[in-house]
Amino acid sequence: MIELTKDKKLYTVTVFSENTPGLLNQITIIFTRRQLNIETLSVSPSALKGIHKFTITVVTTHDMIEKVVKQIDKRIDVLKAYYNVDEELIFQEIALYKLSTEKVLEMGSIESLIRRYDARVLEMNSTCIVIEKTGLYEETQNLFDELSQTIGVLQFIRSGRVAITKGKVERLSDMLASLENAQ
Amino acid sequence: MNTTIQLSGAHALIHSIIHEGTDTIFGYPGGNIIPVFDALYDYYNQIHYVLGRHEQGSIHAAQGYARISGKVGVCIVTSGPAATNVITGIGDAMLDSTPLVVITGQVGDTMLGTDAFQEIDMVGITQPITKWCYQIRRPEEIAWAVARAFYIARTGRKGPVVLDFTKNAQNALVTDYRPEKCTFIRSYVPVSKPNMAKIEEAAQLINQAKKPLALVGQGVLLGNAEVELTQFLEKADIPAGWTLLGESALPSDFRLNKGMLGMHGNIAPNLKTNECDVLIAIGMRFDDRVTGDMNTYAKQAKIIHFDIDVAEIGKNIPVDVPVLGDVKTTLPLITQLLKKTSHQEWVNSFAVAERKEKELVIEKEIHPKEGAIKMGEVIAKIADATHNQAVVVTDVGQNQMMAARYSKFAQSNSFITSGGLGTMGFGIPAAIGAKIGAPERTVVLFVGDGGFQMTIQELGTIMQEKVGVKMVILNNNFLGMVRQWQELFYHKRYSSTPMQNPDFVAIAKAYGINAAVVGEREKLDNAIEAMLSDDKAYLLVVNVEDNGLVYPMTPAGTCVTNIIVNGEKIVL
């Protein structure tokens, strides 16, 4: 689990940008320069055509995240960058677990495990079973820990965080309209 | 040029650059940019092309040109080693907010990523040190990319832009070329609209202030806001110090000009930084060479920060009232809210430190009675001989600090130096660019024996272009600033700082440049007069004392009031 201290919190940085090449690099080097390790990163097209959304989590101080977000926002092709703490967000991660079919059969049943973790089975064949679990970091980690201690996990992958703010709808389109009006 | 025409990508590039108002280009040709240089041949009557002797020289010349003229400096070089040779200049321009468009050649698009001959990932390298960089891979992108590059370079907080131009795009024909004009990018807000609430808050603080102090940075020069600044300072009677890059924004004899800030600045404005009640930063960025230890910096004061760049607000020093925007706009808005005031007692209180500095440092430096020639003496004499009208260009080190301290300016935008990056070797080429950008003015370069040799090859550019720069080597046969640190902080262990120098006069003469050497005080005035007697290039080598020190000095990372003179801390 991510180490937090009194001064340092987990911040989720959201960046909307034009879909121009090299932008991911431009953003990540800003973290590197300030000696910050990115915990998770997820990049995808946003709801608006041609605009990409980056969701980045990082552990740092409030003072530092303010500065870093300003530096990101300053990049020419970045439309908007902002940060939130967990209390302001709804967020999820997704994890996939590959298990040995043979080991699962030895165990007998995994029904209760699937139910307890609200996981689901994606694939089942003679060699492996793939389980998917969405949830918070702790939840996907707990399932990993339990599986590791019982059946054993052949492969494990967890996505970066995806997040939306609780407060209000994402008003990027409004912001774009106001930017266009400023012309 | 408004009709649609069919051109090669290389011709389209030159067309677009001319369309942006460029008439001077600096650079150096090579394999992956040959088509552009071939196209340039067709535009010799519209473009003055300045061939350097090394790409680093070319880009520093473009910087000097941009700084003096206010135009975007343009530098065109080839790929690979040429591209990496301009990196220093790009980084320098980034830190000093100099508008540049740098065009580098690149291998053809099918070769990209294959480690082809003279291929280097220029976009990848320059992303952290440019305002924007872009690889043009198709000729159809040229008009858009060039227009965008110039717009980004010269708006908002100015800075360098790189266009990496693949060879296939240079050669290919573009069928419906038309130069574009960029005036808007939706993801880019160059200047924020003034926030009147913040301006009123700042005005209120200043109106209540008993001991206000202004810090003037290059933002005033970049924003052409010198008049607005003096009106602001006069109305509320605010004394002002300036950063290295803010030098000449205020005339030297202006009543409220209290001198240079920072490590080798004047005693008074540095001490007063930790005495004032309201500190007003104007277009400056609280560089560590200005602030010293940031934890003890102006803690007693309310801080107002005028800047164009939101990322500078609170970056180094916490700010009470930020005023975002162009100082040319925001300064008049706040001036009209200020009460006409006098802070006579406060303004006069600077005189104590000024007298002390004059007695302990300045008089000894500029009017020495005996011994070898001193650096400050040379600079003060040349300021007098040019009636404070010259453009002063410096290299980096003791020559730079001495030039900053002892030059005098009657005209704005007259001091060109590498501030943020501190690039030795900047001097000769930047002076070339400055003279080309302001041919009617006297351009004097102060350079050390070390820095001179870093870009000495640009004497060839001076020869070929007949650039009338006046170069003054302050020759102490040492890398003086490092020597100074060694003397003060490293137990006088002069590791790698003594220099055996060539016959600089003979070298200059080999390039057809008039030159002389002087080492005796009584011959100095005549030597300076001889240098300034015509408008041709000239090298004056002044053999100065070999153990000169720049004082005052605030050792790096210590409190702004920890000012050392002649080895002792100043106590008033």
Side-chain angles (χ1 to χ4, degrees), chain B residues 52-282:
Chain B
R53 290 298 180 273
H54 184 287
E55 291 88 355
Q56 187 193 353
S58 294
I59 192 160
H60 291 330
Q63 290 177 267
Y65 176 86
R67 295 265 285 264
I68 202 72
S69 69
K71 295 184 195 167
V72 176
V74 180
C75 182
I76 304 181
V77 301
T78 189
S79 64
T84 54
N85 280 343
V86 296
I87 298 290
T88 306
I90 294 170
D92 198 295
M94 186 68 172
L95 282 168
D96 285 354
S97 309
T98 308
L100 286 189
V101 170
V102 180
I103 293 147
T104 52
Q106 184 55 281
V107 300
D109 61 348
T110 56
M111 306 285 278
L112 285 168
T114 64
D115 300 326
F117 178 65
Q118 294 193 330
E119 185 196 1
I120 199 85
D121 178 8
M122 190 59 176
V123 169
I125 291 173
T126 56
Q127 264 173 354
I129 53 165
T130 50
K131 210 174 155 186
W132 187 62
C133 55
Y134 188 78
Q135 188 171 65
I136 302 172
R137 296 187 201 123
R138 293 180 300 115
E140 293 75 26
E141 299 172 323
I142 292 166
W144 170 84
V146 172
R148 200 172 146 107
F150 276 82
Y151 175 65
I152 290 168
R154 68 173 155 227
T155 55
R157 181 174 178 177
K158 301 170 204 293
V161 171
V162 165
L163 294 175
D164 195 37
F165 195 16
T166 63
K167 197 161 183 186
N168 62 290
Q170 298 171 36
N171 284 324
L173 289 179
V174 48
T175 46
D176 54 352
Y177 169 78
R178 194 189 298 268
E180 291 183 19
K181 199 79 203 159
C182 179
T183 55
F184 174 76
I185 296 169
R186 69 175 181 176
S187 58
Y188 169 56
V189 183
V191 188
S192 307
K193 284 210 187 88
N195 178 338
M196 277 316 291
K198 290 291 174 199
I199 289 173
E200 282 163 20
E201 207 183 320
Q204 202 174 2
L205 273 181
I206 296 171
N207 282 333
Q208 289 164 355
K210 300 263 185 301
K211 298 187 281 183
L213 175 65
L215 312 179
V216 174
Q218 194 194 198
V220 172
L221 295 167
L222 290 168
N224 301 313
E226 296 90 337
V227 173
E228 291 78 1
L229 173 68
T230 46
Q231 286 168 349
F232 166 80
L233 298 174
E234 296 256 37
K235 188 162 180 194
D237 201 26
I238 305 170
W242 34 265
T243 68
L244 182 65
L245 292 190
E247 180 152 15
S248 81
L250 293 170
S252 301
D253 60 0
F254 178 54
R255 180 178 64 89
L256 294 165
N257 181 344
K258 296 298 172 190
M260 183 164 74
L261 299 163
M263 185 176 272
H264 293 292
N266 293 110
I267 296 173
N270 281 325
L271 285 185
K272 295 295 177 182
T273 299
N274 276 13
E275 278 178 38
C276 66
D277 56 1
V278 176
L279 190 69
I280 309 144
I282 305 167

Side-chain angles (χ1 to χ4, degrees), chain B residues 247-322:
Chain B
E247 180 152 15
S248 81
L250 293 170
S252 301
D253 60 0
F254 178 54
R255 180 178 64 89
L256 294 165
N257 181 344
K258 296 298 172 190
M260 183 164 74
L261 299 163
M263 185 176 272
H264 293 292
N266 293 110
I267 296 173
N270 281 325
L271 285 185
K272 295 295 177 182
T273 299
N274 276 13
E275 278 178 38
C276 66
D277 56 1
V278 176
L279 190 69
I280 309 144
I282 305 167
M284 58 82 76
R285 60 184 177 83
F286 294 106
D287 181 82
D288 61 275
R289 284 297 189 266
V290 162
T291 64
D293 176 19
M294 292 176 193
N295 297 315
T296 56
Y297 183 82
K299 288 295 175 198
Q300 80 294 344
K302 291 278 184 198
I303 299 183
I304 300 167
H305 191 178
F306 288 79
D307 210 288
I308 203 164
D309 179 2
V310 65
E312 287 299 341
I313 305 294
K315 187 186 78 179
N316 292 346
I317 298 290
V319 169
D320 296 288
V321 185

